[in-house]
Amino acid sequence: MIRLEHIVKYFHKGSVNEVFALNDITLRLAEGDFVTVIGSNGAGKSTLLNCIAGSFFPDSGKIFIGAGDVTRWPEYRRAALISRVFQNPLLGTCPSATIEQNMALAALRGQKRGLGRGVKGSDRERFRTELRQLGLGLEDRLLDKVGLLSGGQRQALTMLMATMVKPEVLLLDEHIAALDPKTAGHILSLTEEIVASRGLTTMMITHNMKHAISFGNRLLMLHQGRVLLDLCGSDKKTLTVKDLLEQFYLAQGEELAMDSLLLG
Amino acid sequence: MTWYAALGAVEQGLVYGIMVIGVYLTFRILDFPDLTVDGSLPLGAAVSAVAISSGVNPYLSLLLALGGGFCAGMVTAFLNTKFKILHLLASILTMIALYSINIRIMDGPNVALLGSDTVFDAVTRLGVPSHFAGLVVFGLFAALVVGGMVWFMGTEIGQAVLATGDNPQMITSQGVNIHVVIIFGVGLSNGLVALSGALIAQNQGAADVGMGLGTIVAGLASVIIGETVFGCQTMARAFIAALLGSIVYRLAIALALGLELGGFRFNPSDLNLITALLVIVALITPNLKRRLLAR
Ligand SMILES: Nc1ncnc2c1ncn2[C@@H]1O[C@H](COP(=O)(O)OP(=O)(O)OP(=O)(O)O)[C@@H](O)[C@H]1O
Ligand SMILES: [Mg+2]
């Protein structure tokens, strides 16, 4: 369960570059919700996910994950509850560490690290089994440095690593945007599989309206730091790309009308 | 080069090699260029020398030196992580401050260890000829440090240190506070550098506030030589390469100093210039190679 209450976030507050990135966002995700998030460039989607993950603190508002208030928890502390996959495939793994070392790092997410061996012999079989799910042959390359892998392979590995310790919420920020269509499709179905099999509460940002409609049980459209549209259940199922685009232009049209009013 | 000079160079390579391991940790693993070492090497020497002359056991004095260096490194890393001062600048500030602090510790610019017991006496008492004592002690400590570091980097915490230098965002997302890791890592690095300084002081029978000058450049040169000549595919290999790089570096310096071209000879004071040139060449070679290949 995750709950946001009146989240407000400015960047460069008080300067000429001031950006009002999140405008009073209140949101509640139930356990197991799979939410797709859409919105134009600069709508505040990444800012919303970064705020939940603790990359920065909101200017006001409260964030609850699980039972507790995590508003003031630093990012590393929230990591016990949150897994993330970024748009940039390079961000999710350590290039100079091996595949097994990366997996071992992720297997300890949010737990105390001590002076035990980083990779234990008993881990290897488990890592191999998990890697086999990816169908990329990585199970035979445990000792290869991750820097040698392609972007798609790295992103697949990151997906796997994100769920080695079950998170309260999984945050995906355009995690297939940097991949070629075939690999993107593969990662996307992998995502669906993992999310469904573990019943993960998930937020997935995408610019692909078809994906936004066909994946998950709930859809959010952000615009100028606000939730413009929040559809779930049958409302979402019957949605078409055309409906979405209409909503989208409606929002932008209002904005244009406002501008012309102000200017006129 | 005489056999005696070569022996001396290997000895130096081993003891400064402990410093080089420290530099490898910050420069290569943590990606934290750290100039504190120019101050923490004499800090280690000063602490050890003063401790010994006031009657402390020479081995214990090494531990004190290590602790002192650790604190110095922590200060640099603290300035960088908590107050967002650029790492280079933060380390220069600590280094400059250490100059004054070292003089305070020694109550003057240097301390001599006339007649005091050092870690070398324990070895000579075992019957090792005194001109080999340095080699034995330095070799032992260097092996211990390399072995310890290889072991440590393989632990859960060590892997987190590795990841912090490699991809700070990733390891933060795995729940590690990278500030703590950096403060610990830079501390450990400077602890090793101070240990190296302490051993040098006990060997030469004195600590001097000026003995740290150029430490970082020598450290970098050794790291780069080590990587180029011996490779760095695995952690164990990388640390051993750093140590061997240090020995090769000292041998090269000894060779250069023994060189005679017509009437020209290098002075020991030319050493820093030679080293700086060496590092510059090593740093720009990959770049030049790429450009030439791109043509
Ligand atoms: N760290 C930051 N510093 C300053 N401004 C920022 C920062 N991060 C985001 N912004 C601004 O906040 C606004 C929202 O950005 P955000 O990245 O959340 O958009 P987005 O919806 O993810 O867009 P995109 O689809 O392009 O990824 C933008 O105007 C952006 O310029
Ligand atoms: Mg974004």
Side-chain angles (χ1 to χ4, degrees), chain A residues 11-12 19 21 39-48 56 174 205 207:
Chain A
F11 287 110
H12 312 297
V19 179
S40 51
N41 292 121
K45 306 179 297 293
S46 298
T47 307
L48 179 65
F56 40 69
E174 299 188 49
I205 298 180
H207 277 294

Side-chain angles (χ1 to χ4, degrees), chain B residues 249-276:
Chain B
Y249 167 74
R250 297 291 158 180
L251 283 170
I253 293 288
L255 264 180
L257 289 180
L259 213 64
E260 210 163 334
L261 295 167
F264 178 81
R265 289 188 69 116
F266 285 112
N267 275 331
S269 60
D270 295 329
L271 210 135
N272 281 354
L273 175 65
I274 303 171
T275 310

Side-chain angles (χ1 to χ4, degrees), chain B residues 160-275:
Chain B
V161 173
L162 197 74
T164 299
D166 215 15
N167 189 343
Q169 174 64 62
M170 180 268 190
I171 196 66
T172 304
S173 309
Q174 302 303 339
V176 173
N177 183 350
I178 58 169
H179 288 180
V180 171
V181 174
I182 293 172
I183 291 170
F184 172 78
V186 178
L188 179 60
S189 161
N190 281 281
L192 293 177
V193 175
L195 173 66
S196 159
L199 286 168
I200 294 166
Q202 293 195 25
N203 187 235
Q204 63 190 25
D208 185 288
V209 71
M211 66 193 278
L213 192 72
T215 303
I216 184 64
V217 191
L220 289 183
S222 308
V223 165
I224 292 167
I225 293 173
E227 280 175 344
T228 321
V229 179
F230 306 103
C232 51
Q233 282 77 359
T234 63
M235 209 70 280
R237 183 146 178 189
F239 280 120
I240 293 170
L243 183 64
L244 294 180
S246 171
I247 295 174
V248 172
Y249 167 74
R250 297 291 158 180
L251 283 170
I253 293 288
L255 264 180
L257 289 180
L259 213 64
E260 210 163 334
L261 295 167
F264 178 81
R265 289 188 69 116
F266 285 112
N267 275 331
S269 60
D270 295 329
L271 210 135
N272 281 354
L273 175 65
I274 303 171
T275 310

